[in-house]
Amino acid sequence: MKVQGLTIQENNMGLLSDPNRRRALISMLTRLNAPICVVCYMAGVAWFMGLAFEPFTLRTYMSENAMGSTMVEERFPAGERALATGREFAAHKKKVGGMPVDWLVKTMQSQGLEVFTQRFSRTLPFPDENKERYVVEGTNVYGILRAPRAPRTEALVLSAPCSPGNNNNQAVGLLLGLSQYFRNQIYWAKDIIFLVNEHDLIGMQAWLEGYHHTNTTGMDWSPLQGRGGSIQAALSLELSSDVITSLDLVLEGLNGQLPNLDLANLFYAFCQKIGVLCTIQGKLQRDDWDTASGYSHAVQTMMLMVLKQASGRPWGDHGLFLRYHIEAASIKGINSFRQYKTDATTIGRLLEGMFRKLNNLLERLHQSYFFYLMPSLSRFVSIGYYMPAFGLLAVILLLRALDLWVQLSALPSRTEDGIADIEQSGPGVLSVLTPLVISHLTGVALYTLPIRSQEMAVEHFPVFETEAVVLTAIAIYTAGLALPHNTHRLVSGEGTEQGWRVLKLVAVLYLAVLLGCTALINFSLGFILALTLVPLAAFITPHVPKLLSALFMVLLSPGCTLFFSIFFFQELQETPVNLQEGWVLFLSVISQGILDHSLYGSLVYPLVALLVYPCWLLFWNILFWK
Amino acid sequence: MKTLTLLSLISTYVLVSSIGIEDKAGQFFGSGHTNNWAVLVCTSRFWFNYRHVANTLSVYRSVKRLGIPDSHIVLMLADDMACNHRNPKPATVFSHKNMELNVYGDDVEVDYRGYEVTVENFLRVLTGRLPPSTPRSKRLLSDDRSNILIYLTGHGGNGFLKFQDSEEISNVELADAFEQMWQKRRYNELLFIIDTCQGASMYERFYSPNLMALASSQVGEDSLSHQPDLAIGVHLMDRYTFYLLEFLEDIHPASTTNMNDLFKVCPKSQCVSTPGHRTDLFLRDPGSVLITDFFGSVRKVEITMETINLTSPVEQVEDKPVDGDLQRETHSYVDQLPVSEIIHQKPKQKDWHPPDGFILGLWTLILLVFFKTYGVKHLKHIF
């Protein structure tokens, strides 16, 4: 009877508590770990590439009931007058040598708007060589069209940048033409703010900070005298020619944030209604999705969006609005060699239609997706469809962690649970701390030193400040490679086999959490980092051939990933660069990244310097474990 | 002069006698109602539901034109269209595109406006259970000789109607409200018109007598909007009510159009959805019911010099007193139809449930098998 009772008990045990089954499961896990990891990686990449395949995407549609269809009558008549205003603006801009503040204030006041100005100034941490500025001082001018019958609780924004030279004059002209036309209508339920910002993103940041009474970046600005209620949506206009052939929509904003998909849907719906050619990422739509060239076109468009989103910088003046939960997009007019041209009146009508529909909104745009990828302007992939690609890559890290855990518990010859192991590897866990601390200190050095030591570098070396900063960053990055040789004396690994395994377990889990959090906020950045770092993390041990794997590690490190992405990005935009130009671009991208962080609060540079790079250094340490 | 009046009198006499005064008298008392009421409800708010307000206001306009005064109309609207900040033509609500017809006018009297249009208020109006402080204009003061027109429009679904984006009224509630009205003798006959998606589901559950119902679409169909106006930027009307309004524009207080014509309004070719109607609870033949019995307030006045013999519609049955008790006069109303005959709809059983005894037997079997296999000694662990 007793034996019978025992057998019954064993059969009723769970999968993991039965020692026999547990052993079988664990051995299967250890045997098949590497093949499953490889399969998962290929599946993740294949899933991602399949996202651009048209049958797997969804057609875009208007989700917001209040906005409805494009049923509105656009009657904007004054395109030519707007262009004339633009030419006047250009003349005054040239005369003043910057922003013609008085002329703008006078013009807007004569139209009946409430006009206010804002002065701002900012000293960049080091000179910006792309835009050739170091100490920036400027003025923003904005006019508020008060809704005739509504309370001042909500607002819409139309902005055009005041750019140096001959750029964006027509944009400001069209903005003034629209403001005059809008002033004569009575159906506005929200205030409309017409903003002309100087020094593009810096001016926009100053205006937004002033409007929302926040000061996150240490800029110096005068407070705003006039306000219009909470902003529901914003459109930024860039137009540099009298006639255009197509309109390009730019969605990517700061830190990879995107506006609500309904804004893009609205734009596309009006493009179709009015008959203007509209593009995204500068690429036209194609109908032949079942051919190879059609599919590669869609992949290229999607990859451009992924790369732009991963860079974390705002790709238009609208990019800074998104942080305040204001749905915003930039519309760029492009004049290329095409026969069919669109004039300013049509663009004005398109903007009028969009604003009338945004006027109908009762709440902020929230019905459609906030996280999506667009292989073309009429197709989208939502987060539910693209996240599994990243999930498959993250699973590899978890499998590896399980494998290491199994190995760690198998090393001492007892088969009990991990409690005994932890007691034994007490000093082992502490020994992991040393590489962790050292790597993170290097990361902190990479984050803080370049800017702080630029004066010292300029003294001792014949370089400019920008070059000094960038080259210091690269130097610290490369210096980290020498760490294991110099610090292994401090590391007291007790029983080397166990030591590096514990370190790798910690590093793999750390990487998994880091990449997971990044992918949630900025999927593109998380995915690109995962593509390069996950194979590294999975297969690095001290026992692989050192030279070859060191080469691979360097090639797959975040710095080189950035380098290769630049070449890829230029290829996708159909302006390929050679090695030298690529190197110059690489340096400028690093400096832009550091500047973006200090000017607008972009998080890519701190993330890479403080978290991703130390993680990579941990794996480098594992590779050279003695 | 005198000869003229004499001649006219003679001709009238001849005319009247030739028609058959008895038939006309029969027609005269055919409907049995003495006053008309209308309860017009628009259950939506917000600018993009412009068309529901326009629907309700067009029916209001027709009903007023045909004679029902504001004191006998309970109009429930969110009333945020005419003065909406987005209205390019303030103080107007148009029902035809190109702004042909302004149904808001300058004499609209809205009884329940804004957030007062709730399910609770609607049901209280119908059943008469209002607090004593409610003003007269917000009450439905109907009696047992009133014909009531109830018009509902908004967003609806299968078995419910959405009120102001925050609550719903179900078809069962509505049917019960009508039954309360019948038991309190608050109507003589009731015409119920609903213009929403799947509107026919709202009258499926009615079980009180003298109810006639019309809906703009069947269950599973959507009622479609009509009249897109680009200048205002919204749809101005729904299809069914648009064609209903066109039909009603031809009705005048003396017209003899009957309900069968109303049922033909907006066939599938015009409405895209299939309008439905329900007349099985109605006592009279729909062909003999005039439109103006519900939509208008026709004062029945006929001048005649003849004497008419009115036969009593109700025959008193003589009760022979058995015990010599006092005979009490029984007042009898129009025959109350036995309710069991009316409720011919059985609750639809969506899922088939096996009979209860079967389930009990099944569980007993399972328990027996369990104890057989594992031994009876386990019983003590359970009990």
Side-chain angles (χ1 to χ4, degrees):
Chain A
M1 264 323 256
K2 255 198 183 166
V3 179
Q4 266 188 342
L6 198 62
T7 343
I8 290 174
Q9 263 188 331
E10 269 194 8
N11 283 339
N12 287 349
M13 270 169 68
L15 197 65
L16 291 178
S17 47
D18 182 9
N20 289 328
R21 287 196 191 145
R22 195 176 163 199
R23 271 195 292 272
L25 205 64
I26 288 173
S27 67
M28 190 175 73
L29 189 68
T30 341
R31 249 183 318 123
L32 293 178
N33 207 310
I36 293 183
C37 286
V38 171
V39 164
C40 277
Y41 188 78
M42 314 259 277
V45 173
W47 188 294
F48 182 73
M49 296 305 285
L51 288 173
F53 191 49
E54 195 160 298
F56 297 158
T57 60
L58 290 169
R59 186 166 274 286
T60 56
Y61 54 93
M62 289 292 295
S63 301
E64 175 69 57
N65 213 359
M67 276 209 299
S69 58
T70 54
M71 183 172 51
V72 72
E73 202 179 359
E74 304 94 359
R75 278 191 287 226
F76 179 66
E80 294 307 314
R81 197 143 40 107
L83 292 178
T85 320
R87 283 189 282 272
E88 231 186 288
F89 171 72
H92 282 270
K93 188 166 71 170
K94 198 188 285 195
K95 195 168 74 169
V96 175
M99 174 100 136
V101 176
D102 295 323
W103 179 83
L104 268 175
V105 168
K106 200 158 55 82
T107 318
M108 282 196 190
Q109 267 175 349
S110 67
Q111 288 173 356
L113 308 177
E114 291 178 19
V115 191
F116 306 96
T117 60
Q118 181 200 28
R119 299 192 61 80
F120 61 90
S121 73
R122 172 78 202 228
T123 310
L124 274 60
F126 54 89
D128 181 356
E129 291 200 340
N130 285 11
K131 301 212 175 101
E132 285 161 21
R133 55 191 183 189
Y134 181 44
V135 179
V136 172
E137 271 180 7
T139 320
N140 292 328
V141 178
Y142 64 104
I144 307 183
L145 190 160
R146 297 288 182 195
R149 294 172 279 146
R152 299 170 181 189
T153 48
E154 291 172 347
L156 297 170
V157 173
L158 178 63
S159 83
C162 169
S163 313
N166 265 338
N167 297 326
N168 287 324
N169 295 328
Q170 286 83 353
V172 176
L174 188 58
L175 179 126
L176 291 170
L178 279 174
S179 68
Q180 180 156 38
Y181 176 69
F182 284 179
R183 183 70 182 89
N184 293 331
Q185 312 302 321
I186 61 167
Y187 44 68
W188 297 112
K190 302 182 206 285
D191 292 346
I192 304 187
I193 303 178
F194 295 95
L195 169 68
V196 180
N197 53 323
E198 200 178 356
H199 299 299
D200 49 88
L201 284 167
I202 298 183
M204 187 59 88
Q205 179 72 18
W207 189 81
L208 280 171
E209 281 187 359
Y211 198 87
H212 293 98
H213 308 297
T214 62
N215 198 332
T216 50
T217 57
M219 211 185 296
D220 198 18
W221 37 262
S222 64
L224 295 184
Q225 303 297 320
R227 225 178 158 272
S230 96
I231 304 178
Q232 306 287 298
L235 282 178
S236 175
L237 188 61
E238 288 179 38
L239 191 62
S240 301
S241 55
D242 282 355
V243 287
I244 57 159
T245 53
S246 64
L247 281 175
D248 193 43
L249 181 71
V250 184
L251 296 171
E252 300 84 10
L254 189 65
N255 290 329
Q257 207 176 348
L258 298 169
N260 197 299
L261 189 57
D262 263 339
L263 199 57
N265 297 338
L266 184 68
F267 175 74
Y268 181 59
F270 270 100
C271 282
Q272 281 196 307
K273 179 188 181 194
I274 295 190
V276 181
L277 198 60
C278 287
T279 62
I280 193 168
Q281 319 298 345
K283 290 204 185 285
L284 278 173
Q285 243 180 299
R286 283 169 67 145
D287 286 328
D288 55 344
W289 55 267
D290 43 354
T291 64
S293 57
Y295 171 68
S296 81
H297 186 87
V299 168
Q300 280 171 31
T301 317
M302 196 177 77
M303 284 309 299
L304 270 171
M305 178 165 181
V306 163
L307 285 171
K308 283 190 184 177
Q309 200 185 4
S311 69
R313 54 189 301 257
W315 287 84
D317 282 0
H318 72 285
L320 299 171
F321 281 93
L322 297 168
R323 189 173 16 198
Y324 300 93
H325 199 186
I326 301 170
E327 312 307 329
S330 283
I331 299 180
K332 286 190 186 165
I334 296 179
N335 193 7
S336 66
F337 304 105
R338 225 174 251 283
Q339 209 178 6
Y340 191 72
K341 307 265 186 199
T342 313
D343 64 342
T345 314
T346 320
I347 308 175
R349 287 202 176 159
L350 190 140
L351 287 170
E352 179 197 351
M354 283 184 79
F355 266 87
R356 272 205 79 176
K357 280 293 146 185
L358 288 171
N359 182 40
N360 280 357
L361 282 177
L362 295 155
E363 315 164 282
R364 289 180 192 273
L365 287 168
H366 68 283
Q367 301 277 7
S368 191
Y369 299 95
F370 287 100
F371 297 96
Y372 50 89
L373 289 175
M374 296 188 86
S376 78
L377 197 49
S378 67
R379 301 239 149 215
F380 75 100
V381 181
S382 69
I383 184 171
Y385 283 99
Y386 69 56
M387 224 20 143
F390 177 79
L392 284 166
L393 293 181
V395 152
I396 297 174
L397 292 172
L398 294 175
L399 282 174
R400 275 287 156 199
L402 269 175
D403 187 36
L404 281 165
W405 178 258
V406 161
Q407 285 175 17
L408 276 172
S409 55
L411 274 175
S413 48
R414 279 172 241 179
T415 52
E416 283 158 36
D417 288 348
I419 308 164
D421 288 334
I422 287 177
E423 279 177 32
Q424 237 198 15
S425 62
V429 169
L430 279 183
S431 80
V432 159
L433 267 180
T434 323
L436 265 177
V437 167
I438 293 180
S439 312
H440 280 89
L441 281 177
T442 321
V444 169
L446 181 59
Y447 177 67
T448 50
L449 278 184
I451 299 182
R452 279 178 201 265
S453 63
Q454 56 175 317
E455 298 103 23
M456 213 163 57
V458 168
E459 266 179 47
H460 296 291
F461 299 101
V463 285
F464 295 112
E465 287 93 341
T466 321
E467 287 176 0
V469 170
V470 175
L471 291 174
T472 316
I474 297 180
I476 298 179
Y477 188 88
T478 331
L481 296 179
L483 269 177
H485 297 287
N486 296 325
T487 58
H488 76 273
R489 296 174 235 134
L490 294 169
V491 173
S492 56
E494 185 229 39
T496 42
E497 283 303 306
Q498 200 185 26
W500 72 260
R501 284 210 168 83
V502 174
L503 179 61
K504 189 172 175 195
L505 179 63
V506 169
V508 159
L509 288 176
Y510 179 41
L511 185 66
V513 166
L514 184 65
L515 287 178
C517 294
T518 313
L520 279 178
I521 301 172
N522 188 343
F523 165 76
S524 311
L525 185 61
F527 189 75
I528 291 178
L529 286 174
L531 267 182
T532 51
L533 291 177
V534 162
L536 256 178
F539 292 109
I540 286 295
T541 65
H543 305 302
V544 292
K546 289 238 192 301
L547 199 59
L548 197 62
S549 17
L551 188 65
F552 268 125
M553 274 209 74
V554 169
L555 281 178
L556 289 176
S557 72
C560 282
T561 315
L562 178 62
F563 189 59
F564 294 132
S565 332
I566 290 176
F567 284 101
F568 189 40
F569 184 68
Q570 292 297 119
E571 272 289 333
L572 285 174
Q573 292 214 308
E574 287 157 25
T575 52
V577 290
N578 58 24
L579 197 63
Q580 202 171 6
E581 289 169 4
W583 175 254
V584 170
L585 267 177
F586 177 63
L587 294 180
S588 81
V589 163
I590 295 181
S591 72
Q592 283 296 310
I594 301 176
L595 271 178
D596 279 351
H597 168 63
S598 66
L599 281 177
Y600 320 121
S602 157
L603 291 173
V604 174
Y605 184 68
L607 179 81
V608 171
L610 290 173
L611 293 171
V612 175
Y613 176 63
C615 203
W616 181 84
L617 270 184
L618 283 176
F619 288 108
W620 184 255
N621 261 316
I622 293 173
L623 180 62
F624 288 102
W625 191 271
K626 285 236 184 348
Chain B
M1 201 52 199
K2 273 198 180 157
T3 42
L4 205 59
T5 28
L6 197 64
L7 267 171
S8 60
L9 275 171
I10 292 168
S11 58
T12 327
Y13 175 88
V14 168
L15 263 165
V16 162
S17 60
S18 66
I19 286 172
I21 196 72
E22 304 273 337
D23 299 328
K24 283 191 62 193
Q27 238 178 30
F28 203 76
F29 294 107
S31 65
H33 73 280
T34 59
N35 57 80
N36 284 81
W37 284 82
V39 178
L40 309 174
V41 184
C42 163
T43 61
S44 307
R45 58 184 307 115
F46 303 136
W47 177 245
F48 55 89
N49 289 321
Y50 187 100
R51 57 190 188 279
H52 298 140
V53 170
N55 288 351
T56 318
L57 285 173
S58 354
V59 176
Y60 171 78
R61 185 181 175 278
S62 312
V63 146
K64 247 176 103 156
R65 185 175 55 81
L66 292 172
I68 304 186
D70 274 317
S71 55
H72 282 231
I73 303 178
V74 177
L75 181 60
M76 302 172 83
L77 291 180
D79 205 17
D80 58 349
M81 300 306 162
C83 295
N84 197 310
H85 313 308
R86 295 166 181 82
N87 196 346
K89 304 273 173 198
T92 59
V93 173
F94 290 106
S95 67
H96 282 63
K97 62 181 172 191
N98 304 321
M99 293 175 264
E100 286 167 16
L101 182 57
N102 173 17
V103 287
Y104 202 67
D106 51 2
D107 58 348
V108 158
E109 206 180 278
V110 181
D111 298 307
Y112 286 83
R113 64 158 32 91
Y115 290 106
E116 292 171 347
V117 181
T118 59
V119 173
E120 184 187 345
N121 280 348
F122 175 57
L123 291 176
R124 283 188 184 277
V125 162
L126 287 183
T127 54
R129 292 207 170 88
L130 289 160
S133 54
T134 320
R136 255 185 111 80
S137 57
K138 287 189 169 177
R139 289 177 186 265
L140 178 66
L141 296 163
S142 56
D143 54 21
D144 63 320
R145 290 276 148 226
S146 311
N147 272 11
I148 309 184
L149 166 72
I150 298 188
Y151 176 80
L152 288 173
T153 182
H155 289 290
N158 190 355
F160 68 91
L161 175 60
K162 184 169 76 156
F163 262 72
Q164 300 232 335
D165 228 16
S166 64
E167 48 183 5
E168 294 153 4
I169 186 173
S170 65
N171 50 3
V172 176
E173 276 183 304
L174 198 57
D176 286 342
F178 287 157
E179 174 65 10
Q180 281 190 53
M181 286 175 81
W182 173 251
Q183 291 192 2
K184 291 170 76 165
R185 296 293 177 262
R186 279 170 68 78
Y187 69 90
N188 175 40
E189 285 166 350
L190 201 147
L191 176 63
F192 175 78
I193 305 184
I194 183 161
D195 187 356
T196 64
C197 303
Q198 309 194 48
S201 64
M202 289 305 283
Y203 61 62
E204 271 173 5
R205 298 280 187 170
F206 289 173
Y207 56 95
S208 318
N210 277 342
L211 292 178
M212 180 158 23
L214 280 116
S216 58
S217 56
Q218 302 293 330
V219 174
E221 286 181 348
D222 288 337
S223 289
L224 299 176
S225 54
H226 201 38
Q227 301 290 302
D229 186 310
L230 271 75
I232 301 184
V234 284
H235 285 283
L236 297 183
M237 281 280 263
D238 278 328
R239 278 180 189 258
Y240 183 74
T241 314
F242 180 75
Y243 291 107
L244 181 70
L245 177 65
E246 260 188 19
F247 172 78
L248 288 174
E249 291 285 304
D250 290 332
I251 309 286
H252 56 90
S255 59
T256 51
T257 340
N258 57 38
M259 279 298 161
N260 283 335
D261 300 322
L262 189 62
F263 297 153
K264 291 193 206 119
V265 162
C266 208
K268 193 167 168 115
S269 54
Q270 278 177 329
C271 254
V272 187
S273 57
T274 322
H277 56 267
R278 182 178 176 177
T279 52
D280 56 317
L281 293 166
F282 205 73
L283 282 184
R284 294 192 285 151
D285 169 38
S288 67
V289 179
L290 299 178
I291 301 283
T292 51
D293 279 352
F294 289 102
F295 283 90
S297 190
V298 182
R299 296 276 171 264
K300 295 199 168 77
V301 178
E302 281 285 345
I303 305 175
T304 173
M305 301 284 283
E306 270 208 0
T307 0
I308 302 161
N309 200 7
L310 295 169
T311 53
S312 168
V314 178
E315 281 190 344
Q316 298 256 356
V317 175
E318 289 285 334
D319 252 358
K320 295 270 178 358
V322 181
D323 305 329
D325 288 20
L326 281 170
Q327 239 186 26
R328 258 186 282 157
E329 269 199 337
T330 50
H331 294 280
S332 60
Y333 294 96
V334 174
D335 278 324
Q336 241 184 348
L337 292 173
V339 177
S340 53
E341 279 181 23
I342 298 301
I343 308 181
H344 53 262
Q345 65 252 41
K346 292 194 192 82
K348 289 194 179 90
Q349 279 202 324
K350 300 272 186 257
D351 326 275
W352 176 79
H353 297 287
D356 298 311
F358 175 73
I359 295 177
L360 254 173
L362 193 65
W363 274 108
T364 324
L365 190 66
I366 291 173
L367 278 170
L368 276 172
V369 169
F370 174 73
F371 287 123
K372 183 91 192 329
T373 326
Y374 291 100
V376 190
K377 67 179 197 288
H378 288 278
L379 257 177
K380 67 174 187 292
H381 295 294
I382 296 175
F383 295 109

